[in-house]
């Protein structure tokens, strides 16, 4: 198979450096603010809460998870606060949520997640989650 000049299959080495630009290591660094990482973590926690704790993501259920983040030199520490359904295996569910959030934050930001602290704000029973719903 022949490839045309400039086609994706041409050449197997790394791309040539752009003319006039310093090497990548000397160009600077990408900085992701704490609040951005916290928003990513909160969204990941909501998805994990729905998947791991069988909490529906609708607005009538438990309050949305809250997250804070502290980014330091390529690493981040996360603190999550969320509601969980009752009854549930709290230690197992918390461990899975922590792992899911850490993996998702690392995947989306490129940061190493050093710690995920999870605080359970309250346990929600089926009657608690149906109180705020309009019938």
């Amino acid at each position: 198979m022949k490839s045309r000049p400039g086609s994706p299959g041409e050449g197997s080495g790394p791309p040539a450096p752009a003319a006039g630009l310093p090497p990548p290591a000397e160009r600077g660094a990408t900085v992701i603010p704490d609040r951005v990482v916290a928003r990513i973590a909160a969204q990941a926690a909501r998805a994990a809460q729905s998947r791991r704790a069988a909490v529906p993501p609708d607005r009538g259920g438990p309050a949305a998870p809250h997250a804070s983040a502290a980014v330091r030199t390529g690493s981040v520490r996360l603190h999550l606060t969320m509601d969980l359904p009752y009854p549930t295996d709290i230690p197992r569910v918390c461990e899975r949520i922590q792992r899911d959030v850490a993996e998702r934050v690392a995947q989306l930001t490129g940061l190493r997640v050093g710690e995920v602290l999870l605080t359970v704000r309250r346990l929600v029973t089926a009657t608690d989650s149906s109180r705020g719903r309009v019938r």
Side-chain angles (χ1 to χ4, degrees):
M1 178 172 122
K2 293 184 179 182
S3 62
R4 297 185 315 217
S7 67
E10 188 176 288
S12 61
L21 289 177
E26 296 177 14
R27 289 185 208 162
T30 300
V31 177
I32 304 173
D34 292 357
R35 72 185 191 296
V36 173
V37 177
R39 288 191 66 160
I40 292 169
Q43 290 175 351
R46 183 65 168 171
Q49 179 187 43
S50 177
R51 185 174 55 253
R52 299 295 185 179
V55 175
D58 63 356
R59 299 213 183 265
H66 172 75
S68 62
V71 179
R72 301 291 178 267
T73 61
S75 179
V76 63
R77 294 175 65 185
L78 301 171
H79 181 209
L80 307 171
T81 306
M82 64 175 40
D83 299 345
L84 290 179
Y86 180 83
T88 192
D89 183 352
I90 295 170
R92 191 179 99 227
V93 168
C94 288
E95 181 182 325
R96 288 181 176 178
I97 289 172
Q98 288 170 308
R99 186 178 60 237
D100 288 354
V101 170
E103 288 173 0
R104 188 69 175 149
V105 168
Q107 178 185 34
L108 293 174
T109 65
L111 296 168
R112 184 181 67 77
V113 179
E115 177 182 37
V116 179
L117 176 65
L118 192 147
T119 301
V120 178
R121 181 176 30 222
R122 68 187 180 119
L123 297 175
V124 181
T125 63
T127 57
D128 287 342
S129 64
S130 66
R131 280 185 191 158
R133 294 186 186 167
V134 178
R135 294 176 196 237

